[in-house]
Amino acid sequence: MSGAFRKIDIDIYDEDVLHEEELYTADPRDPAEVVAAAKQKQGTVRSALSRSDIPGALSIALDSVPYGPNVDDAKLITLQVLLTIMNSTKSTDIPNVLKALSPEEQDTLMKYLYKGMATSGNDVSGSVLLDWHEKLTEVAGLGCIVRTMTDRRTV
């Protein structure tokens, strides 16, 4: 039996095939602009952290996060910024910080928690990420996890 049939892309003959770029709207900006905006956001978050404004820093970091192809550098910068915030927050302050976030920001934070757990060599330990995950699930509910898992926009 030949395996040649597997080399044919049958989706090119189907009019109703769903392409990845149709699932969500990618960032319309140039990738260099997205990276520059992420670096600028990184500086703003650092200044908020120096003032001990954890909720403000988290809101800034979760505002208009980069989605789509060709913005991997900006996604990595945003992940590092969020890991810095999580690492510098006291465990007792986490629930109040999370309650100050909007539901969309909570869902986005959950995406970054999972991305932080998936990547190796982070500056933050797994126990910190799991602590944030536990407290975010308590505040946002299980729906936050479901929305994160089903959303096609990856961070």
Side-chain angles (χ1 to χ4, degrees):
M1 189 160 168
S2 172
F5 70 94
R6 295 181 188 270
K7 295 179 182 176
I8 298 172
D9 183 14
I10 61 169
D11 288 336
I12 62 172
Y13 303 112
D14 189 8
E15 295 174 3
D16 294 331
V17 69
L18 187 62
H19 299 286
E20 186 175 345
E21 59 269 3
E22 296 172 350
L23 295 174
Y24 60 88
T25 305
D27 200 331
R29 300 176 290 177
D30 181 57
E33 292 177 36
V34 177
V35 170
K39 288 181 180 179
Q40 179 183 8
K41 194 185 298 186
Q42 186 178 31
T44 308
V45 166
R46 284 186 181 154
S47 66
L49 285 176
S50 68
R51 295 188 314 267
S52 299
D53 182 16
I54 303 293
L58 200 55
S59 292
I60 292 167
L62 294 172
D63 183 41
S64 67
V65 295
Y67 288 117
N70 305 323
V71 291
D72 292 335
D73 293 338
K75 290 178 182 181
L76 184 63
I77 291 169
T78 306
L79 175 64
Q80 291 170 344
V81 166
L82 285 166
L83 291 176
T84 302
I85 294 170
M86 289 182 229
N87 209 20
S88 62
T89 306
K90 295 178 187 173
S91 181
T92 56
D93 296 339
I94 296 173
N96 293 331
V97 169
L98 294 174
K99 288 176 185 174
L101 298 176
S102 70
E104 293 82 19
E105 291 173 331
Q106 291 172 347
D107 293 349
T108 305
L109 179 59
M110 185 66 79
K111 290 179 190 179
Y112 277 103
L113 284 172
Y114 286 135
K115 183 166 185 156
M117 290 178 199
T119 57
S120 61
N122 291 334
D123 296 336
V124 67
S125 70
S127 63
V128 172
L129 293 172
L130 288 172
D131 194 29
W132 274 84
H133 184 273
E134 174 190 6
K135 293 190 170 47
L136 181 56
T137 304
E138 288 174 3
V139 171
L142 294 175
C144 181
I145 296 172
V146 173
R147 287 186 298 274
T148 298
M149 295 294 184
T150 57
D151 194 355
R152 297 290 188 154
R153 298 174 297 170
T154 58
V155 294

